[in-house]
Each structure stands twice: as structure tokens, then as C-alpha cells.
Amino acid sequence: MRISVVDVGSNTVRLAIADARDGAPLPVHTAKRRLRLSEEVDGDRRLRPRAVRRIVDAVAEACAEAERWGSDEPFVFATAIVRDAPNRDEILDAVEQGAGVRVRVLPGEVEAELTFLAARRWMGWRAGPLGVLDIGGGSLEVAFGRGRLPDFAVSLPLGARRLTREHLHDAEVPGEEELRALRRHVRHQLRDVAARIRWEGPITAAATSRTFTQLARLCGAPPGRHGPFVRRELYRDSLRGAVTDLASLPVARRAELPGISAPRAAQALAGALVGHTAMKLMGIRRLTICPWAIREGILLRRIEGDSAWWADPGAPTAPRVLRVAGQR
């Protein structure tokens, strides 16, 4: 069986196609279309009409590509960039009419659960009690668990692009006061979640997402060309130095650093600051970079035949709440 997923994110629309074999999604083909939707948000966080048209075209192209590769109809989902937009319903209707598929808007908590599921499958049971961090463009997902699914999962509005836009104002080289204010904001948002992680004391802490992957490369981890099975780690002390380096450079110079891509150079500083602050508050000194994340989590759920986990595409987004063991 060949299955696929389309991820509408802050920077790109990504297609992932996999063969479902032996309970695992074996990669077949991936493609991305860079839309930079985060640059098409107005002052009210609404996506502009041209951005909506780009989403429609990109989703239609991704679905057609999946069909050419022999996949079933992709599971199309959107993250915080669409979830938090006041004109979300207009976007969903436009895609359904223009591309013939319904985009599902997953609550941030569900994103965290799916990411944890993927990380657990990749890291294995030897990882023991597992904490997982994922920095996206619009939100930060945190999850912890001892089993296959997390004991709790939470989503916070601490995405790298969101914080760059709202707190650093896309400044080429932000001032020290701006950085101090951003650190205070991040600490305040993370306070309760960090206390829970410290209490749980995970044996293994893992990080997913492009943001963490690029930061790990910046701090000396092996490059992507070495493949997914090479061990990659990110140390808190190294990330602290990366924050200082990124804060001293204009955006164009950041893109010259190892691992930092030009499209993400502007938000790299905010991502590094969130990552370092989270690690410090949670008492984490080392993160293991996990190549599987939410897309693989969705593919795993589809392989399992579980259709009860996803949000009703027409339902309002669930509030960001902490899920503790025993709650369903």
C-alpha cells in the first residue's frame, strides 16, 4: 500500500509519499513547494488572498503528484499558519473548491501527540521516558511519555517565525533590549511546561523539525548528506553560543553559516533562543535530533488504520491545554 501526506506549513507545502510495509512508512518520494506563507500575513494575522491562491495551487499540484506516484489520496493538513488565521474557514473552503480536497486543521496538542508517536517509533523503547520538542514557524510543541503515546502534550505560541514577526520585528540585528524582552516572554510561556518536564526527568530528550535540525548543524552536527541514521545531537552550551552569534549578524550573513538556509535565516535567531531557553528551563543539556516528526506520525496512524485521532475539518480548533495521563 502506498500512502501520502501533504503538510501546509509556514514556509513550505510538503508532500511525503511512503510504502506502508511491516508497520513502517518507508520513504518513496518527497517534494516541497516554498510559499513563505509567514510573509503573507497582515496585521490581523490573516493570510492575504494571493497566499490563499498559492496554497490552493500547491495542494492541487501535490495531490496530482501523489496520484502519479501511485499513492492513495493524501491526508492534507495545516499547522499554526492556517490554524491561527482569522480567515481560516475561507482558506479551507478555497482549497476544497480549487483543489478538490479538504484540509484538516490539527489542534496543536494533536500535532505534539503525533510528533511524539513518530519520535518514539524512531528512538525505540531503549530511549526510556522520552521528552520531545518541536519548533515550527507558528508554535512550539512539547510532549513527554513513557509509552507509545505521550502522557501529556502541549502546544505554545512560540514558533520561530511568529516570534520574529511579533518581537524582533524582522530587525536585521536586534537590540539587546529586544532580546531581553523576548527571553522574558519565552520564559513566561514555558514556565509551567518546563516545571513538568523537570519533574518527569526524561532519560532521553529528542528534538524534531527543520529549525532544530539546522541549529544542530550550526553547532557541529553532521550534515544531511550523511543520511538519517547518523547520530546528531545538540548541546545546550553550544546553542547558547549560537544565539550570541546569530544575534550579532544581519540576516544575509546568517545564511552563510553552516546549516542555516536563506529562507529560514531571519527566524533562526528566534528559533535558537526558544530552543536554548526551553533546554535551560527544562534542565536538558543534550537533545538528540530525530528525523521523524508529524508527517511520519500521520503516516504511522494511517498504517495502523486509526481514523479516530484526527480533528473534524469543520470543527473549531481545540484550546491549547495540557493533557495528563488518564485524560482522553
Side-chain angles (χ1 to χ4, degrees), residues 133 135 140-142 154-158 163 182-198 273-282:
L133 305 180
I135 300 175
L140 164 70
E141 275 68 54
V142 181
V154 65
S155 178
L156 300 169
L158 295 176
L163 295 179
L182 178 55
R183 287 192 186 96
R184 286 194 299 268
H185 173 76
V186 173
R187 285 197 299 266
H188 176 75
Q189 290 282 336
L190 278 170
R191 181 182 55 196
D192 293 339
V193 176
R196 177 64 182 268
I197 293 293
R198 288 198 309 271
L273 192 147
V274 170
H276 179 261
T277 304
M279 293 178 74
K280 185 174 182 179
L281 293 180
M282 295 174 185

Side-chain angles (χ1 to χ4, degrees), residues 53-107:
R53 290 193 296 271
R54 290 176 185 172
I55 294 174
V56 173
D57 293 342
V59 170
E61 292 170 5
C63 290
E65 189 168 355
E67 184 177 4
R68 289 194 299 272
W69 279 83
S71 169
D72 66 356
E73 181 177 303
F75 183 96
V76 185
F77 75 100
T79 53
I81 189 71
V82 173
R83 182 174 66 231
D84 297 340
N87 60 333
R88 181 183 67 181
D89 290 342
E90 299 172 19
I91 299 168
L92 301 182
D93 290 342
V95 175
E96 186 168 25
Q97 294 171 13
V101 295
R102 186 67 173 174
V103 177
R104 297 183 181 275
V105 179
L106 303 181

Side-chain angles (χ1 to χ4, degrees), residues 29-328:
H29 175 69
T30 61
K32 66 179 179 181
R33 291 156 178 84
R34 184 166 287 118
L35 303 187
R36 300 187 185 181
L37 298 178
S38 56
E39 299 176 5
E40 296 292 340
V41 178
D42 64 20
D44 296 322
R45 294 189 304 170
R46 297 173 61 91
L47 281 171
R48 298 186 176 94
R50 64 182 178 185
V52 177
R53 290 193 296 271
R54 290 176 185 172
I55 294 174
V56 173
D57 293 342
V59 170
E61 292 170 5
C63 290
E65 189 168 355
E67 184 177 4
R68 289 194 299 272
W69 279 83
S71 169
D72 66 356
E73 181 177 303
F75 183 96
V76 185
F77 75 100
T79 53
I81 189 71
V82 173
R83 182 174 66 231
D84 297 340
N87 60 333
R88 181 183 67 181
D89 290 342
E90 299 172 19
I91 299 168
L92 301 182
D93 290 342
V95 175
E96 186 168 25
Q97 294 171 13
V101 295
R102 186 67 173 174
V103 177
R104 297 183 181 275
V105 179
L106 303 181
E109 180 192 40
V110 174
E111 286 189 32
E113 291 175 352
L114 291 165
T115 301
F116 181 92
L117 171 64
R120 170 60 80 189
R121 284 291 296 274
W122 182 271
M123 304 291 290
W125 293 110
R126 64 183 296 179
L130 177 65
V132 178
L133 305 180
D134 185 304
I135 300 175
S139 60
L140 164 70
E141 275 68 54
V142 181
F144 170 85
R146 294 173 175 80
R148 169 177 164 274
L149 295 175
D151 297 325
F152 79 86
V154 65
S155 178
L156 300 169
L158 295 176
R161 182 60 194 171
R162 180 198 294 263
L163 295 179
T164 301
R165 184 178 66 250
E166 296 179 355
H167 293 269
L168 301 181
H169 312 294
D170 294 315
E172 282 289 304
V173 180
E176 187 57 37
E177 181 53 41
E178 287 180 301
L179 292 176
R180 281 197 296 266
L182 178 55
R183 287 192 186 96
R184 286 194 299 268
H185 173 76
V186 173
R187 285 197 299 266
H188 176 75
Q189 290 282 336
L190 278 170
R191 181 182 55 196
D192 293 339
V193 176
R196 177 64 182 268
I197 293 293
R198 288 198 309 271
W199 177 272
E200 298 286 3
I203 291 176
T204 302
T208 71
S209 76
R210 191 66 175 164
T211 295
F212 271 122
T213 300
Q214 292 196 356
L215 291 173
R217 176 72 186 108
L218 175 63
C219 294
R225 66 177 180 273
H226 289 181
F229 300 108
V230 173
R231 187 172 183 85
R232 294 177 174 87
E233 295 177 327
L234 176 61
Y235 290 85
R236 191 172 81 202
D237 288 346
S238 298
L239 188 53
R240 179 179 60 190
V243 172
T244 301
D245 292 342
L246 289 166
S248 68
L249 296 174
V251 171
R253 291 287 306 282
R254 293 177 197 168
E256 298 172 0
L257 298 174
I260 304 300
S261 64
R264 294 176 180 269
Q267 66 188 52
L269 171 58
L273 192 147
V274 170
H276 179 261
T277 304
M279 293 178 74
K280 185 174 182 179
L281 293 180
M282 295 174 185
I284 296 171
R285 295 191 176 277
R286 179 184 64 188
L287 288 168
T288 299
I289 304 301
C290 175
W292 276 12
I294 184 171
R295 289 185 293 275
E296 288 77 16
I298 291 174
L299 292 172
L300 286 167
R301 284 293 206 183
R302 297 193 67 189
I303 291 170
E304 295 166 353
D306 184 356
S307 61
W309 57 269
W310 64 61
D312 180 346
T317 299
R320 293 185 179 91
V321 295
L322 194 67
R323 171 175 288 180
V324 298
Q327 288 186 350
R328 288 291 183 265

